[in-house]
Amino acid sequence: MSDTPLLDHLNTPGDIRLLSEPQLQQLAAEVRHELLEVISKTGGHLASNLGVVELTIALLSAFDLESDRILWDVGHQAYVYKLLTGRRQLFKTLRQDDGCGGFLHRSESVYDVFGAGHAGTAISAGLGFAAARDRQRSGGRVVAVVGDGALCCGSSLEGLNNIIETTNDFVLILNDNKMSIAPNVGALSRYLNRIISGERYNRLKERLSRLVRRIPRIGARLHQSIHSVEEAAKGLIVPGTIFEELGLRYIGPLDGHDIPGLVRTLQAVRKLKQPLVIHVLTEKGRGYPHAEQFPEAFHGTSCFDLETGKAEPPSPTTGAVPAGPSFSTGLGEALCRLMAEDQSVVAVTAGMCQGTGLAEVRRRYPDRLFDVGIAEEHAVLMAAGMAASGLKPVVPIYATFMQRAMDYVFHDVCLQNLPVIFCLDRAGVVDDGPTHHGIHDLGFWRCLPNLAVLQPADAREQEQMLHLLLEQGGPGILRYPKGSAAPIPGYEAGPLVWGKAQVLRQGPDVSIWALGRELALAREVAEDLAGHGVEATVVNPRFAIPLDRDLLLEQAARMPLVFLENHCAEGGLGSLAMDALPGDMAVRILKRGWPNQIIPWGTEAGIRRKFGLTREQLKTDILTFLNKKG
């Protein structure tokens, strides 16, 4: 290998096409080093990107991004792509304020031809690109890179079914690392494993085919006859035919870490104008022993020590470390206690066991945890069937992912008034950016019948609410943000009464209704206001739906109201309150949440500063609202 770093001199993706095989190997080593150096300091998705280094380099070596289009599914496997498409310096600011996004964004680079944050988008979007290319006769290849379990998404399967109806020129790269975030589940995953076991058959078949064709005079006819018989029989004995039955030529499985082999195959593929599936085998965490051993833990990681692999406090630019247990951990612990008490309680997860705090549930109650893979709609429907059969399903899913299943919550849970409890993790802003901010869902849920929405301030209240929702016996949502669920100093959660808020602090001048964890911030703001002669009431709403209308009307008649939430201000708690009040009272409301625009990625502290959801700014805003001098 050369001593001259290659990454420093790659200015465009086209430069990679000029590199020799030894240089491509050197580039792979440099990319791995860069991934580890950056992600250990900023946090991010590590294991999936370590696994896709050689595949990405081979794709950029074989395809021409000036005419070809590469779409990634899911976006968290595209860090290498970012590094090699002109964003090497920007990548050092991964997921930081005004820095590099953790997912693909069309606004970030011309090479991000389609945004990618959630799973299950590349095949269908790629078919859209292919249809446009065919209609416009613009040329170029369309490549969809599907990995980390995204093939099991309903949208991916719908797209797979529609490829031959849309185009005769499409390349699907199946990045098969046997995992999504956790190990892949389901029949499709087992099917792909059978394909891998059939690799020896494929190699033997190719050698025999070459020998038969060489037989003088009859070789070609004999080969054709054998081929016809084989095509009729191989569906019975050989895995891999499902793609061919869908009209797609199957190639593979290929070693996803063999750069020369990958480049040769992909260069040949680029010349083939037909629907293709290229099955590539990769290892999640490749090249970093800690990630190879614990790929689930290193899927999405905070800052860590490169030598030991252990988590470290982030640098000052990445925000503070949450104190105490997280809401995700609190949910898992509470659910374990519930399961010990009630045999009818079960849990359903959509490929997010670790992320939603269910690892201990999986260990202690493996027969009562159902992981359906990255298929939120199916998770909701399955839970509805469980509830209709007498079980008590609890379904933890990220708030932003749950948006995909809204129709199923309405049609299959709410309309039938079934007792399904949805626990929406990451309900608030997160460092991953707009595809992952859980700040829009209240605007959806408020329209649905029979549905209650509760939001706890800490882990103790979270468990109280979980119990209450199960006792209530109807559809319910429990929302909570990423981060600490430790007790809020000075806050004691009183008895939980259905539809009733809790008043924490009494004051005659203004009432601050703070949803969930924002209660801690509201208490601080109230203290600051007291220093300016303003005595504030502080309310923990507990229930977004049903809202405590009695308390709301009583307070609105006496004082102005402020609503504080880690959610879009339009469509959130403040909007619910305004709709519940007479018009003359609603004018004395100040709503403070996120604006109705795209909220960028970055640290939560940085995003709060940018949009004024900080202690100092809220104090100033409330004093201005009350016509007081700050």
Side-chain angles (χ1 to χ4, degrees):
M1 288 190 184
S2 170
D3 293 331
T4 304
L6 293 170
L7 265 178
D8 293 341
H9 302 287
L10 294 176
N11 298 313
T12 69
D15 295 339
I16 297 171
R17 305 178 72 198
L18 305 176
L19 299 180
S20 65
E21 284 188 5
Q23 286 177 314
L24 293 177
Q25 299 284 8
Q26 177 184 337
L27 180 61
E30 291 183 20
V31 166
R32 275 202 173 81
H33 179 268
E34 190 79 0
L35 288 173
L36 288 164
E37 284 293 318
V38 172
I39 298 173
S40 65
K41 295 181 176 64
T42 66
H45 293 96
L46 179 64
S48 53
N49 286 287
L50 289 173
V52 80
V53 171
E54 288 83 4
L55 175 57
T56 308
I57 290 172
L59 281 166
L60 295 179
S61 180
F63 289 91
D64 182 359
L65 295 196
E66 297 306 313
S67 58
D68 301 328
R69 299 290 179 261
I70 298 178
L71 293 84
W72 293 86
D73 189 348
V74 290
H76 66 231
Q77 64 173 337
Y79 287 6
V80 183
Y81 182 75
K82 285 174 176 275
L83 270 172
L84 299 178
T85 52
R87 285 169 276 183
R88 198 275 179 92
Q89 292 306 314
L90 181 65
F91 187 72
K92 297 178 188 299
T93 64
L94 180 68
R95 304 200 311 171
Q96 304 306 296
D97 301 325
D98 301 316
C100 182
F103 292 90
L104 297 178
H105 302 273
R106 296 181 69 206
S107 60
E108 188 178 274
S109 170
V110 295
Y111 299 112
D112 292 359
V113 295
F114 196 80
H118 297 180
T121 62
I123 297 177
S124 296
L127 287 178
F129 275 86
R133 174 206 59 203
D134 295 348
R135 182 172 180 80
Q136 297 162 356
R137 300 180 181 178
S138 55
R141 310 308 307 281
V142 176
V143 182
V145 187
V146 177
D148 268 21
L151 191 63
C152 73
C153 288
S155 53
S156 291
L157 297 176
E158 291 169 13
L160 197 66
N161 179 61
N162 191 236
I163 291 175
I164 62 168
E165 299 296 330
T166 303
T167 183
N168 60 5
D169 183 3
F170 188 78
V171 180
L172 168 58
I173 306 287
L174 176 54
N175 170 28
D176 184 1
N177 57 25
K178 300 185 182 181
M179 294 189 73
S180 50
I181 293 168
N184 283 336
V185 297
L188 192 57
S189 175
R190 290 193 292 272
Y191 176 80
L192 293 176
N193 288 339
R194 292 208 317 276
I195 291 179
I196 296 168
S197 66
E199 182 179 4
R200 291 173 60 190
Y201 167 87
N202 290 330
R203 290 202 302 267
L204 177 62
K205 183 187 75 172
E206 180 58 30
R207 286 198 294 270
L208 290 174
S209 177
R210 287 198 299 269
L211 289 172
V212 168
R213 283 195 296 264
R214 291 173 183 168
I215 298 175
R217 296 195 186 97
I218 64 170
R221 290 197 305 274
L222 181 60
H223 177 267
Q224 183 59 43
S225 298
I226 292 173
H227 177 73
S228 298
V229 172
E230 179 205 31
E231 287 300 307
K234 75 176 181 178
L236 300 175
I237 61 174
V238 180
T241 58
I242 186 173
F243 297 111
E244 295 181 6
E245 292 297 330
L246 290 170
L248 313 173
R249 179 178 175 184
Y250 172 84
I251 298 174
L254 308 177
D255 181 351
H257 302 293
D258 173 16
I259 291 181
L262 285 173
V263 171
R264 284 194 297 271
T265 299
L266 293 176
Q267 285 176 339
V269 160
R270 189 171 185 267
K271 300 172 184 176
L272 300 175
K273 299 296 179 70
Q274 62 186 117
L276 299 160
V277 174
I278 317 298
H279 188 182
V280 179
L281 306 180
T282 62
E283 180 186 5
K284 204 165 184 177
R286 174 90 170 196
Y288 183 55
H290 299 295
E292 289 176 351
Q293 187 176 3
F294 304 107
E296 189 172 352
F298 279 91
H299 168 77
T301 179
S302 58
C303 306
F304 63 94
D305 178 81
L306 272 174
E307 187 68 27
T308 66
K310 293 182 178 179
E312 281 192 340
S315 67
T317 59
T318 61
V321 180
S326 69
F327 280 98
S328 304
T329 302
L331 186 278
E333 293 172 351
L335 199 48
C336 281
R337 288 188 284 270
L338 271 169
M339 287 179 153
E341 299 168 5
D342 189 340
Q343 292 295 313
S344 65
V345 175
V346 295
V348 180
T349 180
M352 296 293 294
C353 184
Q354 185 80 21
T356 56
L358 298 183
E360 185 64 14
V361 174
R362 178 173 59 187
R363 188 186 72 80
R364 291 176 57 182
Y365 302 103
D367 59 332
R368 292 162 68 187
L369 173 66
F370 299 86
D371 187 347
V372 303
I374 307 174
E376 292 83 7
E377 300 96 329
H378 168 53
V380 172
L381 274 167
M382 182 175 174
M386 290 174 164
S389 301
L391 294 180
K392 299 174 183 175
V394 178
V395 188
I397 294 177
Y398 285 9
T400 182
F401 299 162
M402 190 65 184
Q403 293 166 184
R404 293 185 153 198
M406 180 191 174
D407 174 59
Y408 298 87
V409 175
F410 167 68
H411 182 272
D412 302 292
V413 177
C414 292
L415 288 188
Q416 302 184 85
N417 202 26
L418 292 171
V420 181
I421 310 305
F422 301 105
C423 298
L424 304 194
D425 205 320
R426 271 65 166 179
V429 294
V430 293
D431 47 13
D432 278 326
T435 58
H436 282 59
H437 294 319
I439 59 174
H440 304 286
D441 58 296
L442 263 179
F444 303 153
W445 309 132
R446 62 179 296 186
C447 305
L448 303 190
N450 296 323
L451 184 65
V453 181
L454 288 70
Q455 188 146 343
D458 59 25
R460 296 172 300 180
E461 196 165 65
Q462 180 185 38
E463 186 163 3
Q464 279 183 293
M465 291 179 172
L466 188 57
H467 274 275
L468 185 62
L469 283 167
L470 286 167
E471 291 169 6
Q472 191 69 13
I477 286 177
L478 190 61
R479 303 180 75 250
Y480 43 89
K482 181 180 181 180
S484 176
I488 297 172
Y491 171 57
E492 290 295 332
L496 193 60
V497 179
W498 189 261
K500 294 299 179 183
Q502 182 180 10
V503 178
L504 276 67
R505 186 184 193 277
Q506 294 282 6
D509 299 318
V510 65
S511 182
I512 305 173
W513 290 53
L515 188 61
R517 196 64 183 180
E518 298 307 292
L519 189 65
L521 178 57
R523 288 170 60 83
E524 294 173 345
V525 172
E527 293 173 7
D528 294 344
L529 290 173
H532 293 268
V534 174
E535 292 298 330
T537 293
V538 176
V539 176
N540 177 7
R542 292 181 157 184
F543 293 80
I545 304 170
L547 195 59
D548 190 342
R549 194 166 184 272
D550 292 339
L551 180 64
L552 183 70
L553 287 167
E554 184 268 320
Q555 288 190 351
R558 296 188 290 111
M559 66 183 103
L561 305 177
V562 175
F563 290 88
L564 175 60
E565 54 193 314
N566 190 355
H567 187 277
C568 282
E570 297 299 326
L573 181 71
S575 294
L576 284 165
M578 290 183 75
D579 289 346
L581 291 172
D584 57 335
M585 289 184 179
V587 297
R588 297 208 303 164
I589 284 181
L590 176 65
K591 296 187 296 184
R592 279 295 173 264
W594 305 109
N596 186 19
Q597 64 185 72
I598 303 299
I599 306 300
W601 54 87
T603 64
E604 181 175 349
I607 296 171
R608 284 182 177 272
R609 285 193 298 270
K610 185 172 291 187
F611 292 98
L613 255 65
T614 62
R615 179 175 179 172
E616 180 63 29
Q617 187 59 53
L618 287 167
K619 179 200 73 174
T620 301
D621 290 349
I622 293 172
L623 289 173
T624 301
F625 174 59
L626 299 175
N627 293 317
K628 305 282 187 179
K629 290 185 178 180

